[in-house]
Amino acid sequence: MTLACDLYFSFRSPYSYLAIGRYRAMMQEYDLDITLRPVWPLAVRQPDFFERNHPNWLGYTMRDMMRVAQFHDIPFGPPMPDPIVQDVNTRQISADQPHIRRITRLGQAAARRGRGIAFAHEAGKLIWGGATGWNEGEHLKGAAERAGLDFAQMEAEAVDDAEALDVEIAANQAALEAAGHWGVPTLVFEGEPFFGQDRIEMVKWRMKQKGLAPRAAEQ
């Protein structure tokens, strides 16, 4: 029996990136279907978030994300460019956010096609894995192709159907909050939310209680 769940994910969240490859590996190993539910990052939903945070928040978060990447041997580096347009000195978030809107709409377009997890992982490796100019040239096209997707079709949809995609992305956030959390990455399985990249083993434990089994070997 295939188990199903939802993964709420932001392309600007380093912890979402640090979780996505491991969840993708779970799908490959087990009879499991994880649906990607992209959401806008806090910087879009709450532009004053970084100004309100404790002064130690940024320094600790940077240290922690680096060691999580090292611990799991995940390629990691600062995004170039940052998916969010933000003044590094004042921390003020720009009203115009072309990068995060484009990549999140592409992620939702991939989710429509049942390939959201694969695309988020491949795009995440560009954004957080050290690729310079991940938003330029053939980078995202290559990520889409590695995920088994037609990039030209997705890109056209992200432009032509932007309003409907945005409605779906907002609905993802509403569903996340209805499930009992607000942040990412959060995996929701049978109504139970598991927040954070450090809950993957607990997710697996719960799913095994519900019959999670290895995928049958292909003949």
Side-chain angles (χ1 to χ4, degrees), residues 4-190:
C5 56
D6 296 314
L7 179 64
Y8 296 88
F9 176 98
S10 163
F11 286 92
R12 208 273 177 126
S13 161
Y15 290 113
S16 286
Y17 163 63
L18 292 168
I20 190 70
R22 291 141 67 200
Y23 277 128
R24 185 182 184 184
M26 275 184 64
M27 286 181 61
Q28 293 167 346
E29 183 178 356
Y30 294 98
D31 192 5
L32 174 66
D33 183 18
I34 305 177
T35 298
L36 187 80
R37 303 291 186 193
V39 301
W40 302 121
L42 273 172
V44 171
R45 291 183 285 115
Q46 300 177 26
D48 64 342
F49 172 80
F50 298 96
E51 298 171 23
R52 292 186 286 104
N53 249 339
H54 192 283
N56 287 345
W57 179 85
L58 182 60
Y60 176 81
T61 301
M62 292 294 294
R63 172 180 290 181
D64 186 58
M65 65 177 75
M66 298 277 300
R67 69 185 172 202
V68 170
Q70 292 168 358
F71 182 78
H72 290 287
D73 195 24
I74 299 171
F76 189 84
M80 298 176 286
D82 191 325
I84 289 293
V85 180
Q86 179 179 20
D87 188 306
V88 294
N89 296 315
T90 66
R91 299 187 183 182
Q92 183 153 356
I93 305 297
S94 172
D96 185 27
Q97 294 293 338
H99 305 320
I100 195 62
R101 295 203 181 278
R102 179 190 182 206
I103 190 63
T104 306
R105 288 166 183 158
L106 287 171
Q108 184 62 29
R112 285 177 168 182
R113 293 158 171 77
R115 304 292 299 169
I117 296 296
F119 177 74
H121 183 217
E122 295 296 339
K125 287 191 288 185
L126 294 175
I127 298 168
W128 291 100
T132 301
W134 58 267
N135 58 316
E136 300 172 346
E138 300 286 296
H139 285 309
L140 289 175
K141 179 181 178 183
E145 289 175 350
R146 290 189 294 276
L149 292 161
D150 182 323
F151 183 69
Q153 186 183 75
M154 289 170 59
E155 185 87 301
E157 187 171 305
V159 174
D160 298 340
D161 206 24
E163 185 174 344
L165 289 166
D166 288 355
V167 169
E168 292 171 17
I169 293 163
N172 290 341
Q173 182 66 39
L176 169 59
E177 294 179 12
H181 212 279
W182 60 93
V184 292
T186 293
L187 183 135
V188 177
F189 173 62
E190 295 190 350

